[in-house]
Amino acid sequence: MEDGYLVNNLLREFAEAFVDETYNSNAEIKGDVVLQEWAAETSSPDRAAIPGFPERIDSKKQLAQILHIIMWTASGLHAAVNFPQYDYYGYIPNKPFELLLPIESVTSKEQMMEEALPPTDRAYEAFQVVVSLTAPSPYPLTDLDDLKGYETLYQDFRRRAEDLADSMKKANRKRAISYPYLLPDRVPASIDI
């Protein structure tokens, strides 16, 4: 199974368990004033203006889906899009951010290296951008200890995430090209660049 699907599923199940532990019924969701104010503000064209965000949250299922989308977007999806960039952009001649000559006019490797690629200082700046976009997070999904009131729920999630990471590492050893970017012990809990 695809790594992204597995991590996405793990986050969906966590969101559902979180909502189940927080709310006993749909009526509690509808009656949560702070939650409803958040939905109204997030959907308001004059405030957060998030297209498609509901003006009200009416069920546990709907809230779990919203939380799941937020969790996946800020963690797994972000990791899948950003972390592989180092493999392509980390070596400037492989994928330069800029060329000083039209590629069609470059006739040799020497000309490419000496005239077409950016000078070292600009190449280094581009490299630093790549490093900051792809650096591992100090807060991966498996290392969050401050979920007060949800410790047992999180410990179960962590155990399942670590088991998933172990199985993904085994699968990576069998792949022609390893894909470590969605290992739950490397996926950031949120965007932190």
Side-chain angles (χ1 to χ4, degrees), residues 28-96:
E28 282 186 25
I29 294 276
K30 291 176 185 176
D32 186 330
V33 175
V34 173
L35 180 67
Q36 298 307 330
E37 287 174 355
W38 174 65
E41 179 178 340
T42 304
S43 63
S44 170
D46 300 331
R47 304 296 301 263
I50 304 294
F53 201 90
E55 293 177 14
R56 292 193 46 79
I57 299 171
D58 295 319
S59 69
K60 292 170 59 172
K61 181 179 179 179
Q62 183 184 26
L63 178 58
Q65 182 181 23
I66 290 166
L67 294 177
H68 166 234
I69 290 168
I70 292 169
M71 289 178 200
W72 168 248
T73 302
S75 63
L77 182 60
H78 178 74
V81 169
N82 281 291
F83 292 172
Q85 290 183 49
Y86 187 86
D87 296 347
Y88 298 98
Y89 296 108
Y91 177 61
I92 300 302
N94 184 44
K95 196 86 168 164

Side-chain angles (χ1 to χ4, degrees), residues 141-158:
L141 292 174
T142 56
D143 194 21
L144 302 175
D145 293 322
D146 59 351
L147 295 173
K148 292 177 179 49
Y150 296 91
E151 292 87 358
T152 302
L153 177 69
Y154 178 68
Q155 290 308 318
D156 180 57
F157 170 81
R158 177 188 287 178

Side-chain angles (χ1 to χ4, degrees), residues 125-190:
E125 287 174 9
F127 176 74
Q128 289 299 336
V129 170
V130 171
V131 168
S132 56
L133 286 174
T134 62
S137 172
Y139 307 105
L141 292 174
T142 56
D143 194 21
L144 302 175
D145 293 322
D146 59 351
L147 295 173
K148 292 177 179 49
Y150 296 91
E151 292 87 358
T152 302
L153 177 69
Y154 178 68
Q155 290 308 318
D156 180 57
F157 170 81
R158 177 188 287 178
R159 180 190 50 74
R160 293 176 56 238
E162 289 170 347
D163 290 347
L164 178 58
D166 289 343
S167 78
M168 290 166 74
K169 287 173 186 173
K170 287 177 187 168
N172 273 336
R173 288 193 286 273
K174 296 176 184 173
R175 293 176 174 158
I177 298 174
S178 178
Y179 191 84
Y181 311 109
L182 285 173
L183 294 170
D185 54 358
R186 289 183 61 173
V187 170
S190 185

